[in-house]
Amino acid sequence: MTNPTSTTPAPGALAGRREWTALGVLMLPLLLVSMDVSVLYFAIPSISADLEPSGTQQLWIFDIYAFVLAGLLMTMGSLGDRIGRRKLLLFGAAAFGSASVLAAYADSAEMLIAARAVLGVGGATLMPSTMAIIRTMFTDTGQRAKAIGLWSGVMTGGIALGSVMSGVLVQYFWWGSVFLVNLPAMVLLLVLGPILLPESKNPEPGRFDLLSVPLSMAAVLPVIYGVKEIPAEGWRTEYVVSVLVGLVFTALFVHRQRTAKSPLISPALFRGRGFAPAVVLNLVSSFGMMGSAYFTTQYLQSVLGKSSMAAALWSLLPTVLVGVAAPVAAQLVQKGVHRAHVVSGGFVLAACGYGLLACAGTDSLWLVLAGAGVLASGIVTVMSQMMDLALGTVPLGNTGAAASLLETGAEFGGALGMAVLGSIGTAVYRHDVPSGAPAAARETLGGALAVAGRLPGDAGKALATAAREAFTNGMQAAAVAGAVLLLGAAVLATASLRKVAVHEDGDDLGTGAGEPLPAAASEPGGGLTPA
């Protein structure tokens, strides 16, 4: 039976004011979930003063949110397909709001860490659910592309906005306000969600495979942890072992999905010709985005000497271009430009952004901002198209699992980008720093500037200048490597997407000539059960 307060558009039908209003409601919690990745950047000094966490506890305050989020994405996406995406979304909003209050008024480091972990659980329910619900509400291909483009832009912009929001709130209020700002959006979602959002789920999901849950977390968390620590700490044994352990569990997880009667992530998702390329290319695009962010944030603060707040405000400027990229890409596809060409063009544009970064010197503010903006525009072009392609390729009953797989791949890609490009930059930096510099100065630019501040007169200035030049050289080398990777991804996109078919009703089915469609996708609205 269809809920009279929450109807689902017929396949191919144009969405109206109701659906676009619902999209606006969905964007608010999505924005806050993405902001929570960076919202502690300015709050941590105040938190440290009040709660006095140890060094290890401070790291966990930062990292536990992203770790829990990444580890539970696949579980929550599959769960939403089984119990209902709207139901899971509202549960996540309640958990996110409650944890925000708990975090705001935490009176110990342990309490704040626990609250941040619950925030990660809530975020893991919200992200795949919002994307799956968008796929349910917007069945017309053109409208779906626009909606997913907005989703991509909000996700990207939220990460940049989080640090600025943190700085403003901490300056005028207390550190807990960075969490309380979540409450109005979550309350709005809980009130309007049951009225505006359609409920949908897989009509035949099978039993929930409990064994896959710990296997998925054991596959994701050690790899994310290892590659996240490598840029800062180097290729130490424990981090390499962590990655290898994660890869072993990844193999076990894949085996479980291929042999289980009711897997968490169905291998049938990859039968569509466009789905696997979408996951891989989305991972590569996240690699490019986060790999550049590792350098540009340090460049603004440590090379140019901007304050943290000024650097955060300057970093918002490149996001202006991001808001234009996804809608333009969607419009090009709608006007008949092949998606393969749009995606490969996005990768080439992003590579040009890296090219601009490769030309930057130690006093190139506008060149770096332009490079970051061009790169982000190209990446968002790719991401929005890959999300649209992936969700259009799978049956509606599996959109939650498909969305979670895309987002988990993006988490991997971001961590790998920081690890690989960060390692290249660090290697060049250590090579170019004067051989006689103190050990701390040879490790990081921040260490070099701290040492330089303690040295007398010209000696300190000379070390600081040499360290800034060495860091810039490292950024240039990493940018060249990033550009080469993205140009290779452009070739891969052209080769892998050029044969992806577009069905006459507009849904990307990804089937070659003569291939039968999956049963759930062969009927209008296949795999969708309105509540």
Side-chain angles (χ1 to χ4, degrees), residues 356-384:
L356 292 176
L357 293 180
C359 297
T362 55
D363 188 20
S364 303
L365 172 63
W366 290 105
L367 185 61
V368 168
L369 292 177
V374 171
L375 190 151
S377 298
I379 293 299
V380 170
T381 295
V382 174
M383 283 185 167
S384 62

PDB file of all heavy atoms in Angstrom, residues 356-384:
ATOM      1  N   LEU A 356      48.378  23.679 -12.979  1.00  0.00           N
ATOM      2  CA  LEU A 356      48.554  25.010 -12.399  1.00  0.00           C
ATOM      3  C   LEU A 356      49.299  24.923 -11.063  1.00  0.00           C
ATOM      4  O   LEU A 356      50.169  25.749 -10.772  1.00  0.00           O
ATOM      5  CB  LEU A 356      47.195  25.686 -12.209  1.00  0.00           C
ATOM      6  CG  LEU A 356      46.444  26.066 -13.490  1.00  0.00           C
ATOM      7  CD1 LEU A 356      45.065  26.629 -13.159  1.00  0.00           C
ATOM      8  CD2 LEU A 356      47.237  27.081 -14.307  1.00  0.00           C
ATOM      9  N   LEU A 357      48.951  23.931 -10.247  1.00  0.00           N
ATOM     10  CA  LEU A 357      49.657  23.753  -8.968  1.00  0.00           C
ATOM     11  C   LEU A 357      51.136  23.442  -9.193  1.00  0.00           C
ATOM     12  O   LEU A 357      51.991  23.862  -8.409  1.00  0.00           O
ATOM     13  CB  LEU A 357      49.007  22.629  -8.163  1.00  0.00           C
ATOM     14  CG  LEU A 357      47.586  22.874  -7.643  1.00  0.00           C
ATOM     15  CD1 LEU A 357      47.100  21.659  -6.864  1.00  0.00           C
ATOM     16  CD2 LEU A 357      47.525  24.118  -6.765  1.00  0.00           C
ATOM     17  N   ALA A 358      51.422  22.710 -10.272  1.00  0.00           N
ATOM     18  CA  ALA A 358      52.821  22.368 -10.565  1.00  0.00           C
ATOM     19  C   ALA A 358      53.637  23.600 -10.944  1.00  0.00           C
ATOM     20  O   ALA A 358      54.871  23.574 -10.879  1.00  0.00           O
ATOM     21  CB  ALA A 358      52.878  21.341 -11.690  1.00  0.00           C
ATOM     22  N   CYS A 359      52.972  24.678 -11.350  1.00  0.00           N
ATOM     23  CA  CYS A 359      53.676  25.911 -11.733  1.00  0.00           C
ATOM     24  C   CYS A 359      53.799  26.904 -10.583  1.00  0.00           C
ATOM     25  O   CYS A 359      54.397  27.976 -10.744  1.00  0.00           O
ATOM     26  CB  CYS A 359      52.940  26.589 -12.893  1.00  0.00           C
ATOM     27  SG  CYS A 359      52.883  25.606 -14.405  1.00  0.00           S
ATOM     28  N   ALA A 360      53.232  26.568  -9.425  1.00  0.00           N
ATOM     29  CA  ALA A 360      53.203  27.520  -8.310  1.00  0.00           C
ATOM     30  C   ALA A 360      54.582  27.685  -7.687  1.00  0.00           C
ATOM     31  O   ALA A 360      55.369  26.737  -7.594  1.00  0.00           O
ATOM     32  CB  ALA A 360      52.208  27.050  -7.254  1.00  0.00           C
ATOM     33  N   GLY A 361      54.870  28.910  -7.251  1.00  0.00           N
ATOM     34  CA  GLY A 361      56.074  29.185  -6.480  1.00  0.00           C
ATOM     35  C   GLY A 361      55.725  29.386  -5.021  1.00  0.00           C
ATOM     36  O   GLY A 361      54.643  29.009  -4.570  1.00  0.00           O
ATOM     37  N   THR A 362      56.614  30.002  -4.278  1.00  0.00           N
ATOM     38  CA  THR A 362      56.363  30.202  -2.852  1.00  0.00           C
ATOM     39  C   THR A 362      55.505  31.432  -2.563  1.00  0.00           C
ATOM     40  O   THR A 362      55.189  31.701  -1.405  1.00  0.00           O
ATOM     41  CB  THR A 362      57.696  30.346  -2.098  1.00  0.00           C
ATOM     42  OG1 THR A 362      58.457  31.403  -2.693  1.00  0.00           O
ATOM     43  CG2 THR A 362      58.485  29.048  -2.151  1.00  0.00           C
ATOM     44  N   ASP A 363      55.106  32.166  -3.601  1.00  0.00           N
ATOM     45  CA  ASP A 363      54.238  33.337  -3.419  1.00  0.00           C
ATOM     46  C   ASP A 363      53.217  33.386  -4.552  1.00  0.00           C
ATOM     47  O   ASP A 363      53.152  34.334  -5.309  1.00  0.00           O
ATOM     48  CB  ASP A 363      55.079  34.621  -3.380  1.00  0.00           C
ATOM     49  CG  ASP A 363      54.251  35.837  -2.990  1.00  0.00           C
ATOM     50  OD1 ASP A 363      53.170  35.649  -2.397  1.00  0.00           O
ATOM     51  OD2 ASP A 363      54.669  36.974  -3.299  1.00  0.00           O
ATOM     52  N   SER A 364      52.419  32.331  -4.646  1.00  0.00           N
ATOM     53  CA  SER A 364      51.496  32.188  -5.790  1.00  0.00           C
ATOM     54  C   SER A 364      50.074  31.926  -5.304  1.00  0.00           C
ATOM     55  O   SER A 364      49.452  30.923  -5.653  1.00  0.00           O
ATOM     56  CB  SER A 364      51.957  31.042  -6.692  1.00  0.00           C
ATOM     57  OG  SER A 364      53.265  31.230  -7.153  1.00  0.00           O
ATOM     58  N   LEU A 365      49.564  32.830  -4.483  1.00  0.00           N
ATOM     59  CA  LEU A 365      48.229  32.637  -3.907  1.00  0.00           C
ATOM     60  C   LEU A 365      47.177  32.406  -4.980  1.00  0.00           C
ATOM     61  O   LEU A 365      46.439  31.418  -4.949  1.00  0.00           O
ATOM     62  CB  LEU A 365      47.863  33.852  -3.049  1.00  0.00           C
ATOM     63  CG  LEU A 365      46.408  33.882  -2.537  1.00  0.00           C
ATOM     64  CD1 LEU A 365      46.131  32.711  -1.611  1.00  0.00           C
ATOM     65  CD2 LEU A 365      46.113  35.216  -1.832  1.00  0.00           C
ATOM     66  N   TRP A 366      47.095  33.312  -5.941  1.00  0.00           N
ATOM     67  CA  TRP A 366      46.014  33.231  -6.922  1.00  0.00           C
ATOM     68  C   TRP A 366      46.189  32.046  -7.857  1.00  0.00           C
ATOM     69  O   TRP A 366      45.202  31.432  -8.293  1.00  0.00           O
ATOM     70  CB  TRP A 366      45.925  34.544  -7.707  1.00  0.00           C
ATOM     71  CG  TRP A 366      45.426  35.656  -6.854  1.00  0.00           C
ATOM     72  CD1 TRP A 366      46.149  36.687  -6.326  1.00  0.00           C
ATOM     73  CD2 TRP A 366      44.083  35.822  -6.381  1.00  0.00           C
ATOM     74  NE1 TRP A 366      45.346  37.492  -5.558  1.00  0.00           N
ATOM     75  CE2 TRP A 366      44.082  36.998  -5.576  1.00  0.00           C
ATOM     76  CE3 TRP A 366      42.894  35.124  -6.559  1.00  0.00           C
ATOM     77  CZ2 TRP A 366      42.922  37.465  -4.954  1.00  0.00           C
ATOM     78  CZ3 TRP A 366      41.742  35.578  -5.939  1.00  0.00           C
ATOM     79  CH2 TRP A 366      41.753  36.741  -5.145  1.00  0.00           C
ATOM     80  N   LEU A 367      47.407  31.690  -8.168  1.00  0.00           N
ATOM     81  CA  LEU A 367      47.641  30.536  -9.021  1.00  0.00           C
ATOM     82  C   LEU A 367      47.207  29.253  -8.307  1.00  0.00           C
ATOM     83  O   LEU A 367      46.584  28.379  -8.910  1.00  0.00           O
ATOM     84  CB  LEU A 367      49.122  30.460  -9.399  1.00  0.00           C
ATOM     85  CG  LEU A 367      49.507  29.358 -10.394  1.00  0.00           C
ATOM     86  CD1 LEU A 367      48.782  29.539 -11.717  1.00  0.00           C
ATOM     87  CD2 LEU A 367      51.025  29.362 -10.622  1.00  0.00           C
ATOM     88  N   VAL A 368      47.522  29.146  -7.021  1.00  0.00           N
ATOM     89  CA  VAL A 368      47.118  27.963  -6.253  1.00  0.00           C
ATOM     90  C   VAL A 368      45.598  27.896  -6.115  1.00  0.00           C
ATOM     91  O   VAL A 368      44.990  26.830  -6.266  1.00  0.00           O
ATOM     92  CB  VAL A 368      47.801  27.963  -4.872  1.00  0.00           C
ATOM     93  CG1 VAL A 368      47.173  26.912  -3.953  1.00  0.00           C
ATOM     94  CG2 VAL A 368      49.289  27.693  -5.023  1.00  0.00           C
ATOM     95  N   LEU A 369      44.957  29.031  -5.835  1.00  0.00           N
ATOM     96  CA  LEU A 369      43.501  29.036  -5.730  1.00  0.00           C
ATOM     97  C   LEU A 369      42.852  28.676  -7.059  1.00  0.00           C
ATOM     98  O   LEU A 369      41.859  27.941  -7.104  1.00  0.00           O
ATOM     99  CB  LEU A 369      43.011  30.405  -5.256  1.00  0.00           C
ATOM    100  CG  LEU A 369      43.373  30.800  -3.815  1.00  0.00           C
ATOM    101  CD1 LEU A 369      42.885  32.205  -3.526  1.00  0.00           C
ATOM    102  CD2 LEU A 369      42.788  29.806  -2.820  1.00  0.00           C
ATOM    103  N   ALA A 370      43.405  29.220  -8.156  1.00  0.00           N
ATOM    104  CA  ALA A 370      42.866  28.878  -9.480  1.00  0.00           C
ATOM    105  C   ALA A 370      43.049  27.393  -9.767  1.00  0.00           C
ATOM    106  O   ALA A 370      42.128  26.725 -10.260  1.00  0.00           O
ATOM    107  CB  ALA A 370      43.562  29.711 -10.550  1.00  0.00           C
ATOM    108  N   GLY A 371      44.235  26.862  -9.446  1.00  0.00           N
ATOM    109  CA  GLY A 371      44.464  25.439  -9.652  1.00  0.00           C
ATOM    110  C   GLY A 371      43.518  24.589  -8.848  1.00  0.00           C
ATOM    111  O   GLY A 371      42.950  23.604  -9.357  1.00  0.00           O
ATOM    112  N   ALA A 372      43.294  24.962  -7.571  1.00  0.00           N
ATOM    113  CA  ALA A 372      42.373  24.201  -6.726  1.00  0.00           C
ATOM    114  C   ALA A 372      40.949  24.269  -7.265  1.00  0.00           C
ATOM    115  O   ALA A 372      40.215  23.268  -7.249  1.00  0.00           O
ATOM    116  CB  ALA A 372      42.429  24.724  -5.298  1.00  0.00           C
ATOM    117  N   GLY A 373      40.553  25.444  -7.754  1.00  0.00           N
ATOM    118  CA  GLY A 373      39.198  25.581  -8.289  1.00  0.00           C
ATOM    119  C   GLY A 373      38.989  24.787  -9.567  1.00  0.00           C
ATOM    120  O   GLY A 373      37.967  24.120  -9.741  1.00  0.00           O
ATOM    121  N   VAL A 374      39.945  24.852 -10.489  1.00  0.00           N
ATOM    122  CA  VAL A 374      39.845  24.100 -11.742  1.00  0.00           C
ATOM    123  C   VAL A 374      39.840  22.598 -11.456  1.00  0.00           C
ATOM    124  O   VAL A 374      39.052  21.833 -12.024  1.00  0.00           O
ATOM    125  CB  VAL A 374      41.005  24.481 -12.682  1.00  0.00           C
ATOM    126  CG1 VAL A 374      41.052  23.551 -13.891  1.00  0.00           C
ATOM    127  CG2 VAL A 374      40.862  25.928 -13.139  1.00  0.00           C
ATOM    128  N   LEU A 375      40.729  22.178 -10.556  1.00  0.00           N
ATOM    129  CA  LEU A 375      40.798  20.760 -10.211  1.00  0.00           C
ATOM    130  C   LEU A 375      39.484  20.287  -9.597  1.00  0.00           C
ATOM    131  O   LEU A 375      38.942  19.246  -9.983  1.00  0.00           O
ATOM    132  CB  LEU A 375      41.953  20.537  -9.232  1.00  0.00           C
ATOM    133  CG  LEU A 375      42.346  19.083  -8.926  1.00  0.00           C
ATOM    134  CD1 LEU A 375      43.830  19.013  -8.579  1.00  0.00           C
ATOM    135  CD2 LEU A 375      41.543  18.505  -7.779  1.00  0.00           C
ATOM    136  N   ALA A 376      38.946  21.050  -8.632  1.00  0.00           N
ATOM    137  CA  ALA A 376      37.696  20.654  -7.976  1.00  0.00           C
ATOM    138  C   ALA A 376      36.535  20.611  -8.969  1.00  0.00           C
ATOM    139  O   ALA A 376      35.673  19.724  -8.887  1.00  0.00           O
ATOM    140  CB  ALA A 376      37.385  21.616  -6.834  1.00  0.00           C
ATOM    141  N   SER A 377      36.518  21.542  -9.919  1.00  0.00           N
ATOM    142  CA  SER A 377      35.446  21.545 -10.927  1.00  0.00           C
ATOM    143  C   SER A 377      35.483  20.270 -11.765  1.00  0.00           C
ATOM    144  O   SER A 377      34.452  19.651 -12.027  1.00  0.00           O
ATOM    145  CB  SER A 377      35.579  22.770 -11.832  1.00  0.00           C
ATOM    146  OG  SER A 377      35.446  23.954 -11.095  1.00  0.00           O
ATOM    147  N   GLY A 378      36.678  19.886 -12.197  1.00  0.00           N
ATOM    148  CA  GLY A 378      36.798  18.663 -12.967  1.00  0.00           C
ATOM    149  C   GLY A 378      36.416  17.439 -12.174  1.00  0.00           C
ATOM    150  O   GLY A 378      35.713  16.541 -12.674  1.00  0.00           O
ATOM    151  N   ILE A 379      36.833  17.394 -10.904  1.00  0.00           N
ATOM    152  CA  ILE A 379      36.531  16.234 -10.066  1.00  0.00           C
ATOM    153  C   ILE A 379      35.030  16.123  -9.812  1.00  0.00           C
ATOM    154  O   ILE A 379      34.454  15.026  -9.870  1.00  0.00           O
ATOM    155  CB  ILE A 379      37.303  16.322  -8.746  1.00  0.00           C
ATOM    156  CG1 ILE A 379      38.800  16.183  -8.990  1.00  0.00           C
ATOM    157  CG2 ILE A 379      36.817  15.271  -7.764  1.00  0.00           C
ATOM    158  CD1 ILE A 379      39.216  14.879  -9.616  1.00  0.00           C
ATOM    159  N   VAL A 380      34.372  17.235  -9.496  1.00  0.00           N
ATOM    160  CA  VAL A 380      32.932  17.202  -9.234  1.00  0.00           C
ATOM    161  C   VAL A 380      32.166  16.820 -10.501  1.00  0.00           C
ATOM    162  O   VAL A 380      31.139  16.127 -10.444  1.00  0.00           O
ATOM    163  CB  VAL A 380      32.452  18.550  -8.669  1.00  0.00           C
ATOM    164  CG1 VAL A 380      30.931  18.612  -8.627  1.00  0.00           C
ATOM    165  CG2 VAL A 380      33.014  18.748  -7.275  1.00  0.00           C
ATOM    166  N   THR A 381      32.656  17.248 -11.655  1.00  0.00           N
ATOM    167  CA  THR A 381      32.060  16.805 -12.924  1.00  0.00           C
ATOM    168  C   THR A 381      32.068  15.285 -13.016  1.00  0.00           C
ATOM    169  O   THR A 381      31.058  14.646 -13.333  1.00  0.00           O
ATOM    170  CB  THR A 381      32.833  17.397 -14.111  1.00  0.00           C
ATOM    171  OG1 THR A 381      32.689  18.819 -14.100  1.00  0.00           O
ATOM    172  CG2 THR A 381      32.328  16.848 -15.437  1.00  0.00           C
ATOM    173  N   VAL A 382      33.216  14.692 -12.709  1.00  0.00           N
ATOM    174  CA  VAL A 382      33.339  13.232 -12.768  1.00  0.00           C
ATOM    175  C   VAL A 382      32.457  12.573 -11.715  1.00  0.00           C
ATOM    176  O   VAL A 382      31.696  11.639 -12.006  1.00  0.00           O
ATOM    177  CB  VAL A 382      34.802  12.802 -12.574  1.00  0.00           C
ATOM    178  CG1 VAL A 382      34.918  11.283 -12.490  1.00  0.00           C
ATOM    179  CG2 VAL A 382      35.670  13.335 -13.708  1.00  0.00           C
ATOM    180  N   MET A 383      32.537  13.046 -10.480  1.00  0.00           N
ATOM    181  CA  MET A 383      31.796  12.420  -9.383  1.00  0.00           C
ATOM    182  C   MET A 383      30.295  12.423  -9.630  1.00  0.00           C
ATOM    183  O   MET A 383      29.611  11.407  -9.435  1.00  0.00           O
ATOM    184  CB  MET A 383      32.100  13.140  -8.066  1.00  0.00           C
ATOM    185  CG  MET A 383      33.450  12.799  -7.464  1.00  0.00           C
ATOM    186  SD  MET A 383      33.651  13.599  -5.846  1.00  0.00           S
ATOM    187  CE  MET A 383      35.096  12.708  -5.227  1.00  0.00           C
ATOM    188  N   SER A 384      29.767  13.563 -10.058  1.00  0.00           N
ATOM    189  CA  SER A 384      28.322  13.643 -10.272  1.00  0.00           C
ATOM    190  C   SER A 384      27.877  12.702 -11.381  1.00  0.00           C
ATOM    191  O   SER A 384      26.827  12.035 -11.273  1.00  0.00           O
ATOM    192  CB  SER A 384      27.921  15.087 -10.601  1.00  0.00           C
ATOM    193  OG  SER A 384      28.542  15.536 -11.801  1.00  0.00           O
TER     194      SER A 384
END
